[in-house]
Amino acid sequence: MNNRFLKYLAGGMFLLLSACAPPPAEVPELPAEKLQTLPGALVSDDGLVISYPGNVLFANGSVLPLPGGMTLLDPLVALLIEQRDYRAEVTVRSSGHGVEYDRQLAEKRAELLERICRNRGLEESRVQFTAAAGGGPPLEITLQPSSSGGSNR
């Protein structure tokens, strides 16, 4: 009988503590209408992955964006600045030129994009750039809710 009482008491305490826990912080949904209108971008169904495929942004073997490339990047950077409840993991890739050249090209592209974002006002702490040699879209952004749980507005 004493053992059963302790089990019920422990179960009751667990339920009481669970009920007192604060609700998880709600992260606002990303604005689907803005995501779907990013020029040149492909957006995943959940809106958390944005990619720029093929030669939409960069010419083959080039560090600099194609003419008109800033018209693709400016709305993206503006969206990232606006969505303060999200962090961005940016992967910049190059492929088809040999591993070492692709790695160097991807690094130079990542440096350029990082400078562009910083110059436009995107906080360095909210975005992480990774350069990679190999297949995949030349620019891919994965959005994740900030660990802070709230906005800094």
Side-chain angles (χ1 to χ4, degrees):
M1 178 123 164
N2 192 14
N3 207 10
R4 187 181 300 169
F5 174 74
L6 289 175
K7 287 182 182 178
Y8 285 120
L9 180 62
M13 292 298 288
F14 176 75
L15 289 174
L16 179 64
L17 290 174
S18 297
C20 294
E26 290 187 31
V27 177
E29 285 189 37
L30 290 163
E33 67 280 355
K34 286 187 179 182
L35 288 169
Q36 297 305 324
T37 59
L38 287 173
L42 298 177
V43 181
S44 66
D45 289 340
D46 63 5
L48 296 177
V49 179
I50 304 164
S51 62
Y52 292 82
N55 291 338
V56 170
L57 185 59
F58 297 105
N60 191 18
S62 176
V63 172
L64 297 175
L66 288 165
M70 292 313 297
T71 61
L72 302 179
L73 291 173
D74 284 340
L76 172 66
V77 175
L79 177 80
L80 295 176
I81 290 170
E82 182 180 292
Q83 298 305 311
R84 298 186 61 78
D85 293 319
Y86 288 88
R87 284 185 63 350
E89 292 184 4
V90 179
T91 303
V92 184
R93 295 183 186 90
S94 176
S95 63
H97 308 289
V99 176
E100 185 58 27
Y101 183 82
D102 286 337
R103 184 188 60 75
Q104 290 176 4
L105 181 58
E107 286 175 1
K108 294 297 181 190
R109 287 176 175 177
E111 289 171 12
L112 175 69
L113 293 173
E114 187 173 5
R115 261 194 325 271
I116 290 168
C117 288
R118 192 174 47 243
N119 288 342
R120 299 281 190 284
L122 182 59
E123 298 169 27
E124 206 172 314
S125 63
R126 295 193 37 239
V127 63
Q128 176 183 346
F129 286 86
T130 303
L139 178 59
E140 185 173 60
I141 301 94
T142 303
L143 301 174
Q144 298 180 344
S146 294
S147 58
S148 64
S151 67
N152 299 329
R153 291 179 196 163

